Amino acid sequence: MILAPLGCTSVKEETTDSNKPRYGMVFDQNKCVGCGECKEACNKANNLPEGKSRMLLEQQSGGVEGQVCPHCGKSSCDCQRKYVRVSCQQCQNAPCVTVCPTGAAHRDPETGIVTMDASKCAGCKYCIAACPYDARYINKETDVADNCDFCLHSKLAKGELPACVQQCRYDALIFGDLNDPNSYVSRLLAVKDAVRIKAHFGTEPSLRYIPVVKLGV
Ligand code: SF4
Ligand code: SF4
Ligand code: SF4
């Protein structure tokens, strides 16, 4: 039995015709222990103000209806806690980019990653209202909207992986080019059941989630 994050849709990997990369990230719910080190690494790498973050870890309640935990015997317990990464989904059809009147929220022409040009942001919050994933916020120190851009400027530009991926000691985060059939992320998704969150909105998110598998259920 698969415990999927809420609002998820199974997906067969699609590739675009473009020769350009399409960067994506996989969050493996089976491996995440909820340590929060990815979030701390993100805040540090991207110099975010206190109390704001480009990503959250949402805790899902433990237990499966009608079942007791094999470890403690309770129907709902801490030992079965699971986590879901909540962050920008790097939509291929990104409403935040469509509604932005100034071009501040835009797609990087080289990588296709949805990112920000801080110098153009008017702070109108249209992009925040348009994002169906509640993944954007205004940085109070700069009055500029912000989203997870896979550390485009802080890490990828230097040839490094996103800070969260580098930090995770449990291999719960995998990053790479979904358009490259030989990339690790593509080969992983070819053999694992993965889902996208709120795919019915038609935004074509680039994050994939490998949900918890309960063996023997
Ligand atoms: S660092 Fe890895 S294991 Fe820890 S919360 Fe983040 S994704 Fe989960
Ligand atoms: S998840 Fe929200 S912020 Fe990220 S690309 Fe999609 S609409 Fe934009
Ligand atoms: S807050 Fe900034 S990025 Fe968002 S829509 Fe307004 S100008 Fe564009």
Side-chain angles (χ1 to χ4, degrees):
M1 176 176 180
I2 292 176
L3 263 186
L6 291 176
C8 290
T9 310
S10 293
V11 63
K12 281 276 170 219
E13 273 316 300
E14 82 282 5
T15 53
T16 58
D17 292 334
S18 167
N19 289 325
K20 287 191 170 183
R22 177 184 176 184
Y23 290 108
M25 185 179 285
V26 173
F27 173 80
D28 189 340
Q29 197 178 37
N30 296 278
K31 293 185 174 173
C32 177
V33 299
C35 65
E37 291 178 9
C38 49
K39 187 173 146 183
E40 288 171 23
C42 169
N43 289 7
K44 190 173 169 197
N46 298 298
N47 202 21
L48 303 185
E50 192 77 22
K52 284 292 179 189
S53 187
R54 289 180 169 188
M55 57 152 296
L56 299 171
L57 284 166
E58 198 171 272
Q59 186 182 304
Q60 288 191 320
S61 62
V64 178
E65 203 175 332
Q67 276 204 299
V68 294
C69 171
H71 306 292
C72 69
K74 295 177 185 170
S75 58
S76 181
C77 58
D78 288 351
C79 15
Q80 295 190 90
R81 269 184 195 161
K82 292 296 166 194
Y83 300 86
V84 180
R85 175 191 170 106
V86 180
S87 63
C88 173
Q89 302 288 307
Q90 283 296 324
C91 308
Q92 289 294 287
N93 293 327
C96 59
V97 172
T98 308
V99 302
C100 179
T102 67
H106 70 285
R107 191 177 297 285
D108 176 58
E110 202 174 316
T111 61
I113 291 172
V114 174
T115 187
M116 282 294 298
D117 180 341
S119 68
K120 291 183 178 174
C121 182
C124 65
K125 302 184 184 172
Y126 289 174
C127 57
I128 293 173
C131 173
Y133 298 95
D134 202 15
R136 299 180 71 85
Y137 68 96
I138 296 283
N139 182 323
K140 293 273 187 241
E141 288 182 356
T142 58
D143 280 336
V144 167
D146 194 24
N147 67 293
C148 164
D149 61 2
F150 293 150
C151 293
L152 176 63
H153 306 292
S154 57
K155 296 291 179 186
L156 298 190
K158 294 188 270 184
E160 296 181 31
L161 289 169
C164 57
V165 178
Q166 286 192 49
Q167 186 65 39
C168 182
R169 292 178 284 148
Y170 301 91
D171 292 331
L173 293 169
I174 302 100
F175 173 81
D177 182 2
L178 298 172
N179 274 352
D180 176 1
N182 295 317
S183 67
Y184 180 66
V185 73
S186 293
R187 286 185 283 125
L188 180 74
L189 289 170
V191 297
K192 291 279 188 183
D193 284 330
V195 296
R196 295 179 299 178
I197 293 180
K198 297 180 182 174
H200 58 281
F201 284 132
T203 56
E204 295 187 36
S206 300
L207 261 65
R208 304 284 185 268
Y209 293 78
I210 300 176
V212 165
V213 178
K214 292 279 177 187
L215 296 175
V217 178

